[in-house]
Amino acid sequence: MATIRIAAPDTASAGEVIELKALIQHPMETGYRSGPDGKRIERDIIEKFEVTYDGETVFEADLRPGIAANPIFTFYTRATTSGPIVFKWTDQDGESWSETHELTVE
Amino acid sequence: MKTLSRQTSFARRSFLQLGAAGLAATALPLRAAADAVDADAAIREIFGDKPLNEGRVTVKLPPIAENGNSVAITVAAESLMSPDDYVRRIAIISPRNPIAEVAVFKLSPHAGKAEVSTRIRMAGTQRIRAVAEMSDGTLWHGSASTVVTLAACLIG
């Protein structure tokens, strides 16, 4: 299980633009490096990062090996209604991890 | 004395030439890296063959990065982010990494602010480019340079 860290406000006023920060522990192995035995280390990357807010997709990212290990993203969204913000990462083999953050809009 | 210094400088020059040849030889197998042409091709592949306008996109990078394995980058695009005038996509492009395309972000008018930060790998000193596609289909371009002291290694 990958470690996930989310930084997001718990409450916001309607219409406020809030900052969301999401990090997942992942090697983002490029496939260009060699291990101690001289053999190439297989590529292993997260290819997709998606964020939904109250069921609507608000942010998406297509990732390539140029993204550093333990990918972190900071982005913004406008608070509208109270609801779950779901962060979901999917790797090249289709394995996925997700985390939900509840936002209360006053 | 004068002849001696001339001799040493000559010896040094031939040594430098040797060194340069050696460097060129070792660099050859690494020519899997992208170049400026690949970067342009990557932009065309993502956004189609549309003209790039200079401006409206700012790329923030440190002037010097000691470790190319993780360099903080912020890309911001000027936009109202209203339902009929917003940033649809932002791409980060490297002219020197093995793969020119680093990431493509899809935004919605819901974002409120067209700004994304992440950490990227940099295989050497280069000018990182960012392209933003607006909701009207126009493309805007910005870039920033970073000197990388220790490149994200291709070898190990």
Side-chain angles (χ1 to χ4, degrees), chain B residues 28-42:
Chain B
L28 272 174
L30 298 177
R31 272 306 289 138
D35 57 25
V37 178
D38 293 333
D40 289 333

Side-chain angles (χ1 to χ4, degrees), chain B residues 30-77:
Chain B
L30 298 177
R31 272 306 289 138
D35 57 25
V37 178
D38 293 333
D40 289 333
I43 292 169
R44 270 199 304 276
E45 197 173 306
I46 300 163
F47 297 105
D49 207 354
K50 279 185 266 184
L52 282 183
N53 302 293
E54 219 39 60
R56 285 182 76 176
V57 176
T58 34
V59 181
K60 250 185 273 169
L61 275 167
I64 295 174
E66 284 183 9
N67 184 352
N69 277 312
S70 181
V71 185
I73 181 172
T74 298
V75 180

Side-chain angles (χ1 to χ4, degrees), chain B residues 67-70 121-124 148 150-155:
Chain B
N67 184 352
N69 277 312
S70 181
R121 291 193 168 106
M122 289 176 74
V148 178
L150 184 68
C153 358
L154 299 174
I155 309 160

Side-chain angles (χ1 to χ4, degrees), chain B residues 84-148:
Chain B
D84 40 72
D85 181 11
Y86 64 96
V87 178
R88 223 185 270 156
R89 288 189 291 174
I90 292 175
I92 299 177
I93 306 290
S94 154
R96 200 168 163 185
N97 284 9
I99 299 174
E101 182 185 329
V102 176
V104 180
F105 305 105
K106 290 186 198 107
L107 282 73
S108 77
H110 201 273
K113 185 173 170 185
E115 188 180 308
V116 182
S117 304
T118 185
R119 289 201 283 251
I120 64 169
R121 291 193 168 106
M122 289 176 74
T125 297
Q126 56 184 303
R127 177 162 280 270
I128 294 286
R129 306 169 65 182
V131 177
E133 181 191 43
M134 304 296 167
S135 50
D136 61 5
T138 55
L139 301 183
W140 295 83
H141 176 258
S143 62
S145 294
T146 293
V147 173
V148 178

